[in-house]
Amino acid sequence: MVSGGAAAAQETPATQDVELVLAVRVNGRVSPFLWQVTRLPDGALAMTAERLRLLGFDLRRLGIPPGEQLVKLADLPGVNVQYRESTQSLSFEAGDTALVPVVLDESALQPPLHPDSVETSTGAVLNYNLFVDGSRAGLHATGQYDFRFISRYGVGQTTGFANWRPPSKGGFEHVRLDTQWRYVDVRRVLAMTVGDTIADGGQLATAYRMAGVQIRRNYNERPDLVATALPVLTASAAVPSSVDLYLNGLRYFSGQVGRGPFEFRSLPNLGGGATATVVLTDASGRETKITKPLFFVPSLLPKGRIGFSLEAGFPRRNYGTRSFDYYPDFAASGTVAYGVSDRLTVLGHVEGTRDLWNASLGGITRLGD
């Protein structure tokens, strides 16, 4: 079949392109697929930009427009191309800058959550603690409760505590803590709370309790979405090797890697700093160790991710000592955070009530890797 294709190519006029179907090898790694390659009238070989991307080449670094139909392989900077007509194969030898790093811990990502598969049920639950103490002074009792009602329309919750002392020392006392109804839109990653809630301005303002309405983007309801810009650990293997990654001395990953760049993009958030050690072991048993510090910033959003919180109501006072003590003046606040890049998140906050308004801007950045 190969020889027949070669004969057909010889009969084709030199003014036309010839389509070849070749086996492709990139840095010694054989692709499991056959790839379409165009031989131009001048004998040069070319491929579409999309096929080069699928082979692992970094189009941005190579300066290739994503929609380019024919890219001459001989013009790829830092890439050596060898075509063997006898075996109908094509070999690429590329430097690290020409390739997109292979993501080794991609399997550590949470599988996508399909909102239509989320099931709701109806029920109720009561959590409580009760403590009783008897002494010469009399009987003392205290209890805490957390009651929740669950339905497809959200979760209603009320919490509080009660104390009982001898009448001479105050008798019975009950304090309500929080009462709210909360609904979560899994598809839009939104949470709406009606009742007692906390207005949290993040790094730009002080949190305060209030009774009213709050709408916020809550990524905690979607574990499949990465809500924090995690540090990326990048390294390169000179030859096919086994790779082990240790974080603070504990093994996190073990696997195989081909020749070329690779990276870890789903590192666990250890909080603060960590030390990563990559151990590469080639076929001869020679080990190469790479040690790098990592820095985790929990409030840093991934590029393009947006978070916000909007609330309006009446601020609460004497929380924990009185059940229904609210300021009579209406208050409102809003906070927005946007991930400009994986290293920079900008913040904005505004809040106000009668005779008081406050606005602030800020940002969060990671200086290290």
Side-chain angles (χ1 to χ4, degrees):
M1 182 180 295
V2 173
S3 60
Q10 293 175 358
E11 296 174 0
T12 304
T15 57
Q16 295 184 4
D17 297 339
V18 178
E19 300 299 331
L20 306 175
V21 179
L22 307 177
V24 174
R25 182 190 302 263
V26 180
N27 282 359
R29 187 171 60 250
V30 179
S31 171
F33 307 104
L34 296 177
W35 296 83
Q36 183 177 344
V37 181
T38 302
R39 183 160 60 189
L40 303 177
D42 60 0
L45 299 178
M47 296 181 72
T48 64
E50 177 62 16
R51 291 193 177 98
L52 288 173
R53 185 190 68 82
L54 294 175
L55 282 170
F57 288 95
D58 192 328
L59 300 183
R60 182 183 60 83
R61 290 186 177 182
L62 293 175
I64 301 174
E68 190 72 24
Q69 290 302 313
L70 287 178
V71 179
K72 286 188 176 182
L73 303 184
D75 295 339
L76 297 177
V79 180
N80 182 29
V81 184
Q82 187 174 9
Y83 167 56
R84 294 182 177 87
E85 188 172 7
S86 60
T87 59
Q88 291 292 284
S89 63
L90 192 66
S91 296
F92 292 91
E93 295 294 330
D96 292 351
T97 57
L99 298 174
V100 176
V102 177
V103 180
L104 295 184
D105 59 345
E106 192 170 10
S107 61
L109 294 173
Q110 290 279 354
L113 175 66
H114 299 286
D116 295 335
S117 65
V118 177
E119 298 181 357
T120 59
S121 58
T122 302
V125 60
L126 174 64
N127 298 316
Y128 63 90
N129 292 319
L130 180 62
F131 302 92
V132 179
D133 178 37
S135 64
R136 293 182 179 180
L139 189 66
H140 297 260
T142 182
Q144 301 174 344
Y145 65 88
D146 180 352
F147 176 75
R148 304 183 187 189
F149 176 75
I150 306 169
S151 74
R152 60 179 299 182
Y153 302 106
V155 178
Q157 180 183 19
T158 183
T159 61
F161 66 89
N163 295 317
W164 189 88
R165 308 180 187 89
S168 60
K169 295 186 177 181
F172 179 78
E173 175 192 21
H174 170 260
V175 176
R176 182 191 63 87
L177 295 178
D178 295 297
T179 302
Q180 62 178 220
W181 186 271
R182 188 168 182 266
Y183 175 77
V184 176
D185 187 335
V186 179
R187 185 181 300 275
R188 298 178 177 85
V189 202
L190 294 176
M192 183 180 71
T193 303
V194 179
D196 293 303
T197 185
I198 298 177
D200 187 2
Q203 286 75 20
L204 299 180
T206 302
Y208 63 94
R209 294 183 177 273
M210 66 182 306
V213 178
Q214 180 187 64
I215 299 177
R216 66 180 304 171
R217 175 65 49 81
N218 191 351
Y219 291 109
N220 293 331
E221 307 296 339
R222 290 286 301 272
D224 60 317
L225 298 179
V226 179
T228 303
L230 299 174
V232 177
L233 178 61
T234 303
S236 179
V239 295
S241 308
S242 63
V243 56
D244 295 285
L245 172 62
Y246 297 86
L247 297 177
N248 289 342
L250 299 177
R251 178 182 290 179
Y252 167 72
F253 176 87
S254 182
Q256 301 291 323
V257 65
R259 180 157 60 93
F262 61 90
E263 63 185 16
F264 297 92
R265 303 190 66 90
S266 303
L267 300 175
N269 192 342
L270 302 179
T275 300
T277 302
V278 179
V279 181
L280 295 170
T281 307
D282 59 21
S284 64
R286 185 180 61 179
E287 288 189 354
T288 302
K289 291 186 178 181
I290 305 171
T291 301
K292 294 183 64 176
L294 300 176
F295 301 94
F296 297 87
V297 185
S299 302
L300 197 63
L301 294 178
K303 181 180 179 180
R305 192 80 79 195
I306 186 171
F308 63 88
S309 178
L310 306 173
E311 47 271 330
F314 299 91
R316 188 171 181 177
R317 55 190 177 186
N318 296 317
Y319 179 81
T321 59
R322 301 183 65 178
S323 298
F324 298 93
D325 190 2
Y326 298 93
Y327 279 100
D329 296 332
F330 184 80
S333 61
T335 304
V336 177
Y338 177 73
V340 179
S341 68
D342 287 345
R343 288 181 172 271
L344 176 63
T345 296
V346 294
L347 306 170
H349 177 78
V350 61
E351 59 186 10
T353 184
R354 190 179 68 174
D355 300 329
L356 174 64
W357 288 93
N358 179 42
S360 54
L361 295 173
I364 303 172
T365 186
R366 178 171 52 223
L367 300 179
D369 292 335

